[in-house]
Amino acid sequence: MSLDTLRKSPQIPPLKAIQSFEQVARFANVARAAEQLNLTPSAVSHQIANLEALIGRPLFIREARGVSLTPAGEQYLREVSGILQSLATATERAGSAVGFDCLRLHAAPSFGLLWLLPRLDHFRSSHPQIQINLSCSYESLHFGRHQIDLDIRHGYPNWPSLEVRTIRHERATVLASPQFLERTQIRRPSDLLGQNLILSEAALVQWPHWFAQQGVALPQAPYSLSFDRSYMSLEAASHGYGLALESSLLAQDYIARGELVSVFAEDLATPVSAHHLVFPRGHAETFRVRQFLEWVQGQLGHDFNY
């Protein structure tokens, strides 16, 4: 190897090539990526071809219905994920007032409303220099396009290009109001047959799973109420409308206020890993995200699962 080769600086690909790669990897389709970037499909394909030539390896496998990442492409996506967001953040901060820092959060609706929102004032008191911007939906937003620092997602963790920290010790448990239990005799799982059951449609553990775990046949009667948001199921149960099978994490404040109680002992609850703090690799190095992660751990009283 020559001295000139050793002295040569590493080649940095054009920003447009990185954007094209990230969008094609996200959509697994060149045409859809081109729409997002406001380019022609041929221009995006050209950027990808130049990037592959620079790297010296194919990043995508071309298929009839789209493209898929090669092992080299998967590795490259993991390593460059978050770079564009970091650039956007740096640009924003350079144009902001000195000392201003905005933490942009996105959360699953029930987690945002029931767990996060009641505790945000504590975080703000501890970190007055950090402004909070919170949005809630069940969408998995794109960190760069939507300018999100951290996403709190509900579901099964399947985001290989992102860093995922799973909240531990969450359980699906049967809950009811004290008033409901005063007028209803419930001692064992089979006593739920014929009772008013509230269905949480978005919950990872639902009534059929729970009854099967207890060895009880599923009731034939339809659910008395069903909701697409956990906070609505918990609110309905707190009004005495029936029994909810819901997250102990989301119900934490209802239980603390005495508005809901666990119907059975903990050994009849089902462990579930339903909520995850998700962000691009490298975001944890920023002050605002690092402070938020440490604060959430303190509120939960335990570390995350990695």
Coordinates of all heavy atoms in Angstrom, one line a residue, residues 1 11 25 27 52 81 227 254-255 261 264 278 290 300:
M1 N 0.9 -1.2 0.0 CA 0.0 0.0 0.0 C 0.9 1.2 0.0 O 1.8 1.3 0.8 CB -0.9 0.0 1.2 CG -1.9 1.1 1.3 SD -3.0 1.0 2.7 CE -3.9 -0.4 2.3
Q11 N -13.7 8.5 2.1 CA -14.7 9.1 1.2 C -16.0 9.2 1.9 O -16.5 8.3 2.5 CB -14.8 8.3 0.0 CG -13.6 8.4 -0.9 CD -13.8 7.6 -2.2 OE1 -13.8 6.4 -2.2 NE2 -14.0 8.3 -3.3
A25 N -34.6 1.9 1.6 CA -34.6 0.9 2.7 C -35.9 0.9 3.5 O -36.4 -0.1 3.8 CB -33.4 1.1 3.6
F27 N -39.0 2.0 2.5 CA -40.2 1.6 1.7 C -40.0 0.3 1.0 O -41.0 -0.2 0.5 CB -40.6 2.8 0.8 CG -41.1 4.0 1.4 CD1 -40.4 5.1 1.5 CD2 -42.4 4.0 2.0 CE1 -40.9 6.3 2.1 CE2 -42.9 5.1 2.6 CZ -42.1 6.3 2.6
E52 N -23.4 2.4 -4.0 CA -22.9 1.0 -4.0 C -21.5 0.9 -4.7 O -20.7 0.2 -4.2 CB -23.9 0.1 -4.8 CG -25.2 -0.1 -4.0 CD -26.2 -0.9 -4.8 OE1 -26.3 -0.8 -6.1 OE2 -26.9 -1.7 -4.2
S81 N -28.3 5.1 10.4 CA -29.5 5.6 11.0 C -29.3 6.7 12.0 O -28.5 6.6 12.9 CB -30.3 4.4 11.6 OG -31.5 4.8 12.2
F227 N -63.1 -1.2 23.1 CA -62.5 0.1 22.8 C -61.2 -0.1 22.1 O -60.5 -1.1 22.3 CB -62.3 0.9 24.1 CG -63.5 1.3 24.9 CD1 -63.8 0.5 26.1 CD2 -64.3 2.3 24.5 CE1 -64.9 0.8 26.8 CE2 -65.5 2.6 25.3 CZ -65.8 1.8 26.4
Y254 N -54.6 4.8 38.4 CA -56.0 4.4 38.8 C -55.9 3.6 40.1 O -56.8 3.7 41.0 CB -56.6 3.6 37.7 CG -57.2 4.3 36.5 CD1 -56.4 4.5 35.4 CD2 -58.5 4.9 36.6 CE1 -57.0 5.3 34.3 CE2 -59.0 5.6 35.5 CZ -58.2 5.8 34.4 OH -58.7 6.5 33.3
I255 N -55.0 2.6 40.1 CA -54.8 1.8 41.3 C -54.4 2.6 42.5 O -54.9 2.4 43.6 CB -53.9 0.6 41.0 CG1 -54.4 -0.3 39.9 CG2 -53.6 -0.2 42.3 CD1 -53.4 -1.3 39.4
V261 N -58.9 -1.8 41.2 CA -58.2 -2.8 42.0 C -57.9 -4.1 41.2 O -58.7 -4.4 40.3 CB -58.9 -3.2 43.3 CG1 -59.0 -2.0 44.2 CG2 -60.3 -3.8 43.0
F264 N -57.5 -10.4 40.9 CA -56.8 -11.6 41.4 C -55.4 -11.4 41.8 O -54.9 -10.3 41.6 CB -56.8 -12.7 40.2 CG -58.1 -13.0 39.7 CD1 -58.6 -12.6 38.4 CD2 -59.0 -13.8 40.4 CE1 -59.8 -13.0 37.9 CE2 -60.3 -14.2 40.0 CZ -60.7 -13.7 38.7
V278 N -37.9 3.9 21.8 CA -37.2 3.6 20.5 C -36.6 4.9 20.0 O -37.3 6.0 20.0 CB -38.2 3.1 19.5 CG1 -37.6 2.7 18.2 CG2 -39.0 1.8 20.1
R290 N -30.7 11.8 26.8 CA -30.0 11.2 27.9 C -30.7 11.5 29.2 O -31.0 10.6 30.0 CB -28.5 11.5 27.9 CG -27.7 10.8 29.0 CD -26.3 11.0 28.9 NE -25.9 12.4 29.2 CZ -25.5 13.3 28.3 NH1 -25.4 13.0 27.0 NH2 -25.2 14.5 28.7
L300 N -39.7 4.7 36.8 CA -40.1 3.2 36.8 C -39.5 2.5 38.0 O -40.0 1.5 38.4 CB -39.6 2.6 35.5 CG -40.3 3.1 34.2 CD1 -39.6 2.5 33.0 CD2 -41.8 2.7 34.2

